[in-house]
Amino acid sequence: GDIINTHVDAERRNGIVRHHTATHLLHMALRKVLGSHATQKGSKVEADRLRFDYAHFEPLSEAQKEEMEAIVSAKIRENIPVTTDEVTLAEAKNRGAMALFGERYGDRVRMVRVSDESVELCGGTHAAKSGDVGDFFIISDAGIASGVRRIEAVAGATAQAYIRQVRT
């Protein structure tokens, strides 16, 4: 019977939304540039950055980073509606959804589509449209374990601040 008041920090939440949606686009770009073996091994989404761990055997070249940024940025500029559907696991697989790094799923799953090339099972918070992500830049790529690498990237206002910092 207690009365509870809640507050959502809208600025922080919007930063998480941008970076989470960017994570899906980055995963799609990684697989396009590196191949289907470049699957997600973990991630961390924050209001001011994202961290994405993935399977790969060597550092990214500058050309590969630029190509991934270009792919993600093109999808952002398309301003694609981000959709979610609750479906059976079998239906999600039939629609081409990617299940991630050995997670357990129930009979019904949440399928998130950021583009025709980015369809994954995910329970997180996402932008309404890909254009809401804003700018996107890869900050770093490093090895963290045998066959596992980590990308750190920024989106939105954080990406704009990053560019200002790099230019000075």
Side-chain angles (χ1 to χ4, degrees), residues 9-23 45-50 125 127 132-133 153-158:
D9 181 336
E11 186 175 332
R12 180 177 177 279
R13 173 83 170 191
N14 289 335
I16 292 168
V17 163
R18 279 189 293 279
H19 286 94
H20 193 159
T21 305
T23 299
V45 178
E46 298 181 31
D48 61 348
R49 70 184 183 114
L50 68 88
T125 185
D132 296 342
V133 171
V154 290
T158 310

Side-chain angles (χ1 to χ4, degrees), residues 64-165:
Q64 288 170 322
K65 287 183 208 175
E66 289 173 9
E67 185 177 359
M68 284 183 237
E69 287 175 342
I71 290 167
V72 171
S73 294
K75 292 298 180 189
I76 290 168
R77 285 190 306 274
E78 286 180 40
N79 204 27
I80 303 161
V82 177
T83 61
T84 59
D85 289 312
E86 188 177 309
V87 296
T88 65
L89 183 56
E91 176 65 18
K93 288 180 181 179
N94 286 340
R95 292 190 196 177
M98 182 181 300
L100 301 179
F101 54 94
E103 288 189 12
R104 289 185 177 175
Y105 297 101
D107 292 336
R108 297 199 60 81
V109 295
R110 187 165 177 254
M111 186 176 72
V112 176
R113 178 183 302 273
V114 183
S115 76
D116 288 340
E117 301 159 307
S118 176
V119 184
E120 299 183 34
L121 304 184
C122 183
T125 185
H126 302 88
K129 293 187 174 186
S130 62
D132 296 342
V133 171
D135 295 322
F136 173 84
F137 297 103
I138 295 172
I139 303 299
S140 65
D141 170 63
I144 60 167
S146 180
V148 180
R149 301 199 58 79
R150 174 172 289 163
I151 286 178
E152 294 200 27
V154 290
T158 310
Q160 293 168 353
Y162 168 74
I163 288 301
R164 283 192 297 277
Q165 178 185 6

Side-chain angles (χ1 to χ4, degrees), residues 6-45:
T6 62
H7 170 75
V8 175
D9 181 336
E11 186 175 332
R12 180 177 177 279
R13 173 83 170 191
N14 289 335
I16 292 168
V17 163
R18 279 189 293 279
H19 286 94
H20 193 159
T21 305
T23 299
H24 287 276
L25 292 171
L26 173 60
H27 193 195
M28 177 265 306
L30 273 165
R31 294 173 57 80
K32 280 184 116 173
V33 173
L34 302 178
S36 61
H37 72 279
T39 56
Q40 182 175 346
K41 296 298 179 189
S43 68
K44 183 175 184 182
V45 178

